[in-house]
Structures are given as C-alpha cells and as structure tokens.
C-alpha cells in the first residue's frame, strides 16, 4: 500500500526564527500591519507501508532520525492513503 | 481585529524540488521505501485587519508581492480570527 505522510516541522516556542523575522520586516516595509511571522516546513512523503499505523510509525522514526531536530523543533504528522 | 493568515507555498507540478529530492535520497539511504518527497513552506502571519475578507485580500497581495513566485509557486491561504 502507498501512503502520503504530511509532516509539518516548526520551531518550538521561544526559539528564534530569523526567516520569519526577516519576512515580517519586509512585509512591514511594504506597508502591512504585521505583528509576527513564523515559518515552518512541510514534507509530503509518498511511502510504501503495509498498514496505516506502520506508515505512521515509520514517519515518526524519519522525523526523529532526519526531518526534525528534537532540541528546537516540534512536528505534526498526518497520514493519508494514496489513491 | 487580529487575524492569523496561514500561507502554504509549494512548487507547481513539474518544477524541480532539489530539497525534496535530497531528503528522499537520504531517507532511502536510511532504509525507507520512499517514492517521492516534496517540500513546501508555511508562513503563519499575525496581522491587523478590519474584517476577515480584508485579511484575506491583504494576504493575497503579500503572496503576489513577496511570499510566492508566480512563475513556479502555487499557494493556499487560510484565515482565522486570532483570540
């Protein structure tokens, strides 16, 4: 079976987000009333697994091994069967 | 009023995604059965606007002026009232 795993990785609260700060400054210079900008990253992974829960477990493992930094990142996983 | 605008920017189909390709190769080297990885970016913007539709219009404008490249990116906008 094939599954889409959607992984959203974002900085934990309190960690500095230079890209978000720069984007916020640029938008303010363009005249927008912006209080804050946070930037996160989404990985959409098409993977092979036997079951929905195997897909979730493998994706959880990938986050820990490669996609997220446990010191500074939070992540959320959504699994969906691929057509 | 304050609103959260969530903007997801992703490459249009057919455009090469070097970060996704590299991530896919690394995951395969780690032993996962991966067919494809796509990477997109999410901006969460806390902005000031009079109404929900003004927030949407301003965010649409920000996408065109700064956040997305019309040649290669698609984007999706979600607006939510901030508490």
């Amino acid at each position: 079976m094939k599954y889409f795993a959607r992984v959203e990785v974002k900085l934990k609260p309190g960690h500095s987000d230079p890209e978000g700060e720069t984007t916020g400054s640029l938008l303010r210079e363009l005249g927008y009333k912006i209080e804050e900008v946070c930037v996160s990253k989404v990985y959409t992974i098409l993977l092979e697994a036997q079951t929905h829960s195997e897909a979730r477990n493998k994706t959880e493992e990938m986050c820990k091994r490669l996609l997220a930094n446990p010191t500074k990142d939070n992540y959320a996983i959504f699994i969906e069967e691929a057509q």
Side-chain angles (χ1 to χ4, degrees), chain A residues 10-55:
Chain A
K10 64 166 113 181
L11 285 164
K12 289 183 178 171
H15 283 257
S16 89
D17 177 354
E19 192 180 355
E21 285 165 24
T22 307
T23 307
S25 303
L26 289 169
L27 289 172
R28 272 179 225 111
E29 279 172 34
L30 289 172
Y32 299 104
K33 287 182 192 147
I34 304 293
E35 193 155 311
E36 197 186 17
V37 180
C38 299
V39 181
S40 56
K41 197 172 269 192
V42 176
Y43 296 93
T44 307
I45 304 167
L46 183 54
L47 78 158
E48 187 81 46
Q50 296 300 103
T51 62
H52 193 283
S53 78
E54 190 196 323

Side-chain angles (χ1 to χ4, degrees), chain A residues 70-82:
Chain A
T71 310
K72 63 177 187 60
D73 296 325
N74 281 331
Y75 58 85
I77 297 172
F78 307 90
I79 304 286
E80 194 184 45
E81 210 174 293

